[in-house]
Amino acid sequence: MQETLKQLETEAIAKVEAASSLKEVNDIRVQYLGKKGPITEVLRGMGKLSAEERPKMGALANEVREQIANAIAEKNEQLEAEEVKKKLASQTIDVTLPASPIKMGARHPLTIVVEDIEDLFIGMGYTVEEGPEVETDYYNFEALNLPKEHPARDMQDSFYITEDTLMRTQTSPVQARTLEKYKGQGPVKIICPGKVYRRDSDDATHSHQFMQIEGLVVDHNISMSDLKGTLETVARKMFGEDRDIRLRPSFFPFTEPSVEVDVSCFKCGGKGCSVCKGTGWIEILGAGMVHPNVLKMSGFDPDTYQGFAFGMGVERIAMLKYGIDDIRHFYTNDMRFTKQFKQD
Ligand code: DAH
């Protein structure tokens, strides 16, 4: 019996040493140390031994088991280490390979124009206000001196939601909302960029949704020359230092007097070309002195306060600045279009 055990030990250890994979080692473990293995078998036959021999044989059987188990553990460790080494060798990372490029977004051209103009006005002490896009008839029209049935409402075809609410047709309602907030106390110096909506058929120059930037200054002793100086600064910032502006009489219900503002053509410098349609001038915005009724309705005393206001179309400015020929490009979100305005 003793011999059998010794023989099993030598045999098993030799097999373990010759094994070349973890699986093979595991098979050997099951074969020799498992419940159905030869050592268990030997131990089963111990009943036939004398009381003296039994413990000796038991001790020997345990020792053989332990020897085999140790050999298996050692071999496993060795094989595992080899495997890791192999993995490391086959999975080296080439840190010099160029990385796959990350797709970077770009600011939308309308965002660029809005942010440029915001920067300019914040630098001149203005704050940036916002107002709701779903607006009441009162703020969109009435508070701007456009009572119900006023014919000038026809200039702005509107998307009504209820009898009294509509998608704002202009950013001008933010003028009335802001004046109310200031409770009759100037100075007020704000701009308000935002989306506006009109019931127009979309084509190269019309969009049912577009953007405006509104400006409003209300204080003591504000005159037309303040308006002109401010707009000249805007025109030069957007279209170049050599630009001039001119004011032409116009009509808006919320300003008196009202003007359209033209900038000298940035393409031909005023000689006349296709961009300015031969006139040397390009219309960029509407403006005027805040109508006394507007001041009054929103709680300001028109005898002590005056103001100027202006409103410009952001798409129009962007189209001129970047030579974009169709307003629909801004809203179809073709990456080939927006990518061109990448700035760092
Ligand atoms: N709200 C006008 C429009 O959408 C633009 C405008 C003109 C705004 C004159 C003004 C202004 O503040 O003074 O046609």
Side-chain angles (χ1 to χ4, degrees), residues 156 169-170 172 175 198 212 214-215 252 254-255 286-288 309-311:
Q156 301 183 359
T169 56
Q170 48 188 353
S172 306
Q175 286 191 32
R198 292 202 195 164
Q212 289 187 334
E214 192 81 14
F252 299 103
F254 32 89
T255 44
F310 58 86

Side-chain angles (χ1 to χ4, degrees), residues 15 96 159 162 176-177 181 184 213 226 264 274:
K15 275 194 185 167
T96 64
F159 288 118
T162 66
R177 285 180 173 276
K181 225 167 57 183
I213 299 177
D226 296 310
S264 57
S274 62

Side-chain angles (χ1 to χ4, degrees), residues 233-299:
T233 310
V234 178
R236 289 182 179 161
K237 160 92 174 177
M238 298 314 288
F239 297 108
E241 279 308 308
D242 302 332
R243 299 282 70 77
D244 283 322
I245 60 165
R246 72 173 184 188
L247 310 184
R248 282 179 294 109
S250 184
F251 171 79
F252 299 103
F254 32 89
T255 44
E256 181 58 38
S258 303
V259 290
E260 303 273 7
V261 182
D262 298 342
V263 61
S264 57
C265 182
F266 52 85
K267 186 77 179 280
C268 64
K271 285 197 260 343
C273 69
S274 62
V275 173
C276 57
K277 301 196 180 81
T279 65
W281 294 95
I282 304 168
E283 185 189 320
I284 54 165
L285 54 86
M289 301 307 291
V290 180
H291 197 291
N293 286 353
V294 173
L295 291 171
K296 224 184 296 173
M297 275 186 276
S298 294

